[in-house]
Amino acid sequence: MDAAAQVDALLLLVSGALVLIIVPGFALLYGGMISTAGAASAMRATLVGAGIAGVLFVIGGYGMAFGPPLIPHVVGVPGTVPSDASTLARACYAGAVCVLAVAILASAVAPRVTLRGWAVFAIVWVVLVYLPAAYAVFNLMDGWASATFGVIDFGGAIPVSIAAAAGAAGILLVCGRQPEHEVRGRRNVPVMAVGGALVWFGWFGLAIGSEGSVDGFTALIWVNTLTASAAATIAWVTVDRIMMRRPTVASAVCGAVAGLIAIAPASGIITTGWSLLVGALSGIACAVIIDVAARAQFGTPTVVVVIHLVGSLVGLLFIGLFANGTGMVYSGNFDQLGVQALAAVVVAAWSFLVSWGAAYAIQRTIGLTATVHVSWREDVPAAGRHQSERGRPER
């Protein structure tokens, strides 16, 4: 392996390690929005899901996502990770991304599901949803999205964020709305802040690793990632102020995450000026739509679904409009916009249907919905919180 290949391999390994930092970050961020106990529950489900995803990817998932076609344009032949150094480094990064996708889904639904039900669901979801979606986007030689339709998705927004958000929506539909008697936990702001910081730091690994090499685009991807997340933070806090709400730590952190998600598919294909706009649009769209989604009364998980689904759609559709060379502004046609929207809708619909079907089957067999909600009352004094952390069974 020459020096350039060694540098690229090192970049992929470091990027993969940074991606894994995002995994506990999402658990702390989304779990902390509920309570300290919610963060613990999210961390447990996230780590279990990460372990399942890692094992599946190593024993056969790599081939399903990057190997020769088993079903042309749909999925590859199951196979283990390669042994040569350069390809193995790419496999390490790809495995970390697979773990991240499951972690997003786990952190969204952890408060609503049992651990055994979640473990079974994670196996089904990785095999039937994530790996085919990864093949469609990441397999540039045969995937139906990238090779056939020319979809541009640098950071894997379609197989990671959109698939995970749609899968979470399918699970929540089976679990149902949160019971009215469920006690709302007190947000743990320090835990949320630490989780958000880990996500922000680790996301640079996801963005740069998607390029796969040190070249003229690496620095642009880094700058675009920072710019979009900063713009989205300001946009979300501004929306809160305009709508007469008090901006909070949650506002700022969720805004930054919305910007990171939106710029992920577009970081290497737009200029820095456009990254400011995509970040701002993502922050505004997510902040507004979350208010609408809250009326469905599915609780905190709707925040996760909206941020990942809406943020990813903003970034993917923005590519169709402003991508250098292929976007509508530069090409004069809507071809790229159409294929971006088509790929996002197809993967979201497939993930939702499979997730709903799997969750329904698990609910009818071993059980999926958690019957004890781990939280505490807002009015419980600090000294007595341990007594209410056990939760109450549903009646």
Side-chain angles (χ1 to χ4, degrees):
M1 192 189 312
D2 57 23
Q6 290 178 344
V7 171
D8 292 344
L10 178 61
L11 175 71
L12 287 166
L13 293 174
V14 173
S15 297
L18 290 175
V19 170
L20 292 178
I21 291 177
I22 308 175
V23 172
F26 273 132
L28 294 175
L29 172 58
Y30 296 141
M33 289 182 181
I34 304 172
S35 65
T36 301
S41 174
M43 183 67 74
R44 181 184 64 173
T46 296
L47 292 177
V48 170
I52 291 172
V55 171
L56 290 177
F57 190 84
V58 169
I59 64 175
Y62 174 83
M64 294 181 66
F66 298 95
L70 174 64
I71 302 175
H73 311 303
V74 177
V75 70
V77 177
T80 58
V81 295
S83 57
D84 59 289
S86 60
T87 309
L88 182 58
R90 293 184 181 275
C92 291
Y93 172 79
V97 174
C98 176
V99 168
L100 173 61
V102 178
I104 294 172
L105 181 53
S107 60
V109 303
R112 305 300 309 277
V113 299
T114 62
L115 187 60
R116 63 181 180 182
W118 159 247
V120 175
F121 177 88
I123 296 172
V124 176
W125 190 84
V126 170
V127 175
L128 296 184
V129 176
Y130 176 78
L131 293 174
Y135 185 90
V137 174
F138 296 143
N139 196 316
L140 303 180
M141 302 300 295
D142 189 62
W144 64 265
S146 56
T148 304
F149 292 104
V151 171
I152 299 173
D153 185 0
F154 270 81
I158 293 175
V160 177
S161 290
I162 286 186
I171 293 177
L172 294 178
L173 187 62
V174 173
C175 292
R177 296 178 177 179
Q178 286 188 321
E180 293 182 1
H181 69 265
E182 182 176 338
V183 180
R184 178 177 176 83
R186 179 175 297 170
R187 286 181 174 179
N188 191 316
V189 176
V191 169
M192 288 172 52
V194 171
L198 292 176
V199 172
W200 201 343
F201 178 71
W203 206 271
F204 287 91
L206 177 67
I208 296 175
S210 63
E211 179 65 11
S213 62
V214 180
D215 54 26
F217 293 97
T218 308
L220 175 66
I221 293 172
W222 198 99
V223 172
N224 283 348
T225 301
L226 175 63
T227 303
S229 60
T233 303
I234 297 173
W236 192 304
V237 172
T238 302
V239 169
D240 275 357
R241 178 58 65 185
I242 292 173
M243 299 181 70
M244 306 301 293
R245 297 183 304 214
R246 180 183 177 183
T248 62
V249 173
S251 304
V253 173
C254 289
V257 172
L260 294 172
I261 293 169
I263 196 60
S267 56
I269 198 66
I270 61 174
T271 61
T272 303
W274 289 128
S275 69
L276 276 171
L277 181 57
V278 71
L281 290 175
S282 178
I284 293 171
C286 292
V288 172
I289 295 176
I290 276 180
D291 276 347
V292 179
R295 298 176 184 177
Q297 298 180 357
F298 283 99
T300 302
T302 56
V303 176
V304 184
V305 173
V306 169
I307 290 177
H308 286 272
L309 190 59
V310 175
S312 296
L313 286 175
V314 169
L316 290 166
L317 298 181
F318 197 90
I319 292 173
L321 295 174
F322 302 106
N324 288 327
T326 60
M328 184 274 295
V329 171
Y330 298 96
S331 65
N333 60 67
F334 291 91
D335 293 346
Q336 190 65 50
L337 179 65
V339 297
Q340 298 288 119
L342 176 65
V345 170
V346 168
V347 172
W350 175 249
S351 180
F352 176 82
L353 291 174
V354 171
S355 299
W356 179 87
Y360 184 82
I362 295 171
Q363 182 82 298
R364 291 293 183 177
T365 52
I366 63 174
L368 179 66
T369 304
T371 57
V372 175
H373 301 279
V374 183
S375 55
W376 59 63
R377 295 179 182 270
E378 290 276 7
D379 56 352
V380 174
R385 283 177 182 165
H386 68 279
Q387 296 179 359
S388 58
E389 286 178 2
R390 299 175 183 177
R392 296 185 303 172
E394 292 184 275
R395 297 184 184 276

